[in-house]
Amino acid sequence: MRIYNTMNQKKEELIPGSSGEIKIYICGPTVYNFIHIGNARPLCVFDVLRRYLEYSGEKVLFVQNFTDIDDKIINRAREEGVDYQKIAGQYIGEYWTDAKGLNVREADIHPKATENIPQMIEMIGSLIDKGFAYTAGNGDVYFRTRQFADYGKLSRQPLDDLRAGARISVGETKEDPMDFALWKESRPGEPFWESPWGRGRPGWHIECSAMVKRYLGETADIHGGGYDLIFPHHENEIAQSECGNGTVFSRYWMHNGFINVDSKKMAKSLGNFFTVREVARQYGYEPIRYFLIASHYRSPINYTAEVLDQAKASLERLYTCRDNLTFRLENAADNNAGEQDAAALQMLERRRRQFTAAMEDDLNTADALAAVFDLVRDIHSQLAGELSKDTIASLLAGFGDLTGVLGLLYERQPESQDQDTAEIEGLIAARKTARGAKNWAESDRIRDQLRGMGIILEDTPQGIKWHRER
């Protein structure tokens, strides 16, 4: 597989590290509010990456953190008159609701920043001892950016250019405007932890560096997140980690593009700020996931109502294909395979290779989805003829494999697995009996009853097929 490495700004072959597994760290949410659709894009993108690597036979160790101590959390707690832990706990719970709705799998490890304070204090102490960090008179600890010669290598921004626009805020006692906080002295009423430099709390950047080192080691294979994290967050992580550990922090860097809303940057001030929960109430979660992975992950995408409607329509095509395969499998005869079966299996393998080629090319989910819809079209053509039960089962399994890698088709069970299937199929059988007895009035009555239940009947050569009215 080749992925675009932000560090080197080119596609590179993804090679597992010496452990034989691919160690991935994704920056998770700061838990002070519901996640918005911009937060949801990296969740879905890197969930697909993980699924594809495992589908390809790779062993993956996947870590995604929760930032549960931060100025935004403290301010929200102050506004509501509660402890910061209550805010963090509440919105971690809300995160799980949305992540489950989006079919994002749980990480192997979901560390919280507050569970790793000793590791952060140890790393900060090491940076001070090595001369890369210093204590300020007010109890803050800062990193000396000028001591790291490669500062700016991820964002491709020279340090002097960055320094030209930097300022020292009131109350800060930095040696240099570009130095960033590793430890912050606590103000009255704020949460704090004891440290060699006084009571305080960690800076944002040191949190992720400490958690990567604890759970993945000194070097991660892939570090990912949104494009907005390249600077300063990921740049600062690199500086403090490579100075502290003396080795490369991450071998590959992956960043997803921004989301605009109606071609404008999403912002609360513009009134176009949407949480996942709000959008899901109108469209459901699965169309959101589809929208977020339907374009290449590095491309900016534009959220509109029309795009969500298109996502719903595309999902209907996929669900219809799965339902047709399921119906044909349940009604197929155990006949021997013939020439058409061989052609169908060859087609499936061709589409599988097309899908794989797209995913191997920098996780190109847009082209992978095109391969899935080519498969849908081919399956429709193949089902017009006679296929053996084994072949239909192979088509259904192959279709499920590819949609499963993308994390799709999870909101609705196949019609035959619904809890009220027995009642529906009993009515269909009664209608069939009425038709056989030429009792057209009873047949029509049952059809009307089924329609009132939202059940649509379709007569096919293999029998009566039904589906719910969408």
Side-chain angles (χ1 to χ4, degrees):
M1 183 179 189
R2 293 173 63 81
I3 60 171
Y4 184 88
N5 188 348
T6 308
M7 179 65 74
N8 298 324
Q9 297 190 346
K10 64 181 181 180
K11 294 179 186 178
E12 298 176 351
E13 184 179 357
L14 176 60
I15 302 172
S18 58
S19 66
E21 65 182 354
I22 298 177
K23 298 182 291 184
I24 301 175
Y25 183 91
I26 304 301
C27 288
T30 299
V31 284
Y32 72 102
N33 204 340
F34 294 96
I35 62 171
H36 55 71
I37 57 174
N39 302 139
R41 192 176 191 191
L43 297 182
C44 293
V45 163
F46 293 108
D47 180 66
V48 172
L49 173 66
R50 177 192 187 185
R51 288 170 182 264
Y52 179 72
L53 290 172
E54 292 177 348
Y55 167 79
S56 301
E58 300 289 353
K59 185 178 180 183
V60 178
L61 178 57
F62 194 90
V63 178
Q64 179 187 298
N65 75 299
F66 288 115
T67 297
D68 62 339
I69 181 65
D70 180 86
D71 288 342
K72 293 176 181 178
I73 297 172
I74 294 170
N75 291 339
R76 184 68 181 265
R78 186 180 294 118
E79 290 170 4
E80 297 191 12
V82 298
D83 185 80
Y84 85 96
Q85 292 173 309
K86 181 174 181 180
I87 295 296
Q90 174 185 346
Y91 287 107
I92 287 175
E94 301 294 358
Y95 165 88
W96 287 123
T97 297
D98 289 331
K100 183 178 179 181
L102 292 167
N103 200 27
V104 172
R105 290 171 49 194
E106 288 189 30
D108 295 306
I109 307 171
H110 274 288
K112 299 175 184 175
T114 56
E115 297 171 340
N116 293 273
I117 301 294
Q119 288 75 19
M120 298 172 202
I121 291 174
E122 180 181 358
M123 180 173 277
I124 294 169
S126 175
L127 288 168
I128 292 173
D129 292 343
K130 294 176 180 179
F132 292 113
Y134 59 94
T135 56
N138 61 355
D140 293 342
V141 181
Y142 292 98
F143 181 87
R144 289 189 172 101
T145 55
R146 192 173 284 280
Q147 291 292 96
F148 183 52
D150 288 335
Y151 191 84
K153 64 180 178 178
L154 181 68
S155 58
R156 301 295 178 103
Q157 299 184 71
L159 183 57
D160 288 338
D161 290 352
L162 293 168
R163 184 177 285 109
R167 298 288 185 272
I168 296 178
S169 301
V170 176
E172 292 183 325
T173 54
K174 299 180 183 180
E175 295 177 353
D176 187 285
M178 281 305 297
D179 293 350
F180 59 88
L182 300 173
W183 188 261
K184 300 179 181 180
E185 180 192 30
S186 64
R187 300 183 181 89
E190 290 186 347
F192 64 85
W193 286 263
E194 299 288 350
S195 81
W197 320 289
R199 291 179 171 182
R201 56 189 173 86
W204 175 33
H205 314 301
I206 198 68
E207 295 178 355
C208 287
S209 284
M211 287 184 278
V212 169
K213 184 174 182 179
R214 178 177 182 182
Y215 298 105
L216 296 179
E218 294 181 343
T219 301
D221 291 309
I222 297 174
H223 197 316
Y227 188 83
D228 57 315
L229 296 182
I230 293 176
F231 184 86
H233 185 50
H234 288 167
E235 197 75 74
N236 291 350
E237 281 188 70
I238 291 169
Q240 63 201 9
S241 294
E242 296 192 358
C243 288
N245 300 332
T247 189
V248 171
F249 180 47
S250 181
R251 298 166 60 232
Y252 304 89
W253 289 87
M254 296 179 70
H255 295 93
N256 63 270
F258 290 119
I259 296 181
N260 295 320
V261 177
D262 292 322
S263 300
K264 296 179 181 179
K265 183 179 179 180
M266 184 171 66
K268 289 182 179 178
S269 60
L270 296 177
N272 64 352
F273 183 90
F274 297 104
T275 67
V276 169
R277 192 71 55 87
E278 290 170 329
V279 179
R281 287 194 189 102
Q282 183 173 358
Y283 293 98
Y285 281 102
E286 191 168 14
I288 302 173
R289 182 182 178 99
Y290 185 98
F291 158 67
L292 294 173
I293 67 169
S295 301
H296 192 284
Y297 75 92
R298 286 192 286 117
S299 301
I301 55 178
N302 190 40
Y303 169 87
T304 66
E306 291 77 16
V307 169
L308 266 293
D309 287 333
Q310 292 168 10
K312 290 184 71 173
S314 296
L315 284 166
E316 285 300 331
R317 288 183 61 197
L318 296 179
Y319 273 111
T320 297
C321 181
R322 189 188 68 179
D323 290 344
N324 287 341
L325 283 167
T326 301
F327 174 78
R328 283 293 298 273
L329 181 62
E330 292 171 347
N331 293 276
D334 293 321
N335 55 321
N336 295 325
E339 291 183 4
Q340 187 169 339
D341 292 277
L345 294 175
Q346 289 171 4
M347 174 277 296
L348 174 62
E349 183 57 31
R350 187 166 62 252
R351 295 308 177 202
R352 195 189 293 271
R353 289 197 301 268
Q354 179 185 350
F355 178 90
T356 299
M359 296 293 278
E360 292 280 324
D361 183 17
D362 192 29
L363 198 70
N364 192 334
T365 51
D367 284 357
L369 269 170
V372 171
F373 281 104
D374 285 343
L375 176 60
V376 169
R377 182 195 64 217
D378 291 341
I379 286 173
H380 179 74
S381 177
Q382 292 291 334
L383 289 181
E386 290 297 325
L387 296 174
S388 71
K389 194 163 191 170
D390 287 346
T391 297
I392 296 171
S394 294
L395 293 176
L396 181 58
F399 179 75
D401 285 344
L402 303 191
T403 54
V405 168
L406 299 173
L408 299 176
L409 303 191
Y410 62 91
E411 279 199 334
R412 296 202 302 262
Q413 292 294 323
E415 306 289 10
S416 60
Q417 296 180 23
D418 287 346
Q419 292 182 351
D420 55 354
T421 294
E423 178 186 1
I424 294 167
E425 294 189 343
L427 288 169
I428 291 172
R431 177 176 175 270
K432 183 178 179 181
T433 299
R435 285 169 62 87
K438 298 184 178 181
N439 187 346
W440 309 120
E442 178 65 5
S443 172
D444 291 344
R445 185 195 68 77
I446 296 174
R447 176 183 279 275
D448 290 343
Q449 180 180 349
L450 288 164
R451 187 179 294 278
M453 296 167 63
I455 304 302
I456 305 301
L457 303 182
E458 178 185 351
D459 292 317
T460 75
Q462 290 76 33
I464 299 173
K465 183 177 182 294
W466 63 272
H467 64 83
R468 297 189 182 280
E469 193 169 21
R470 309 304 188 199

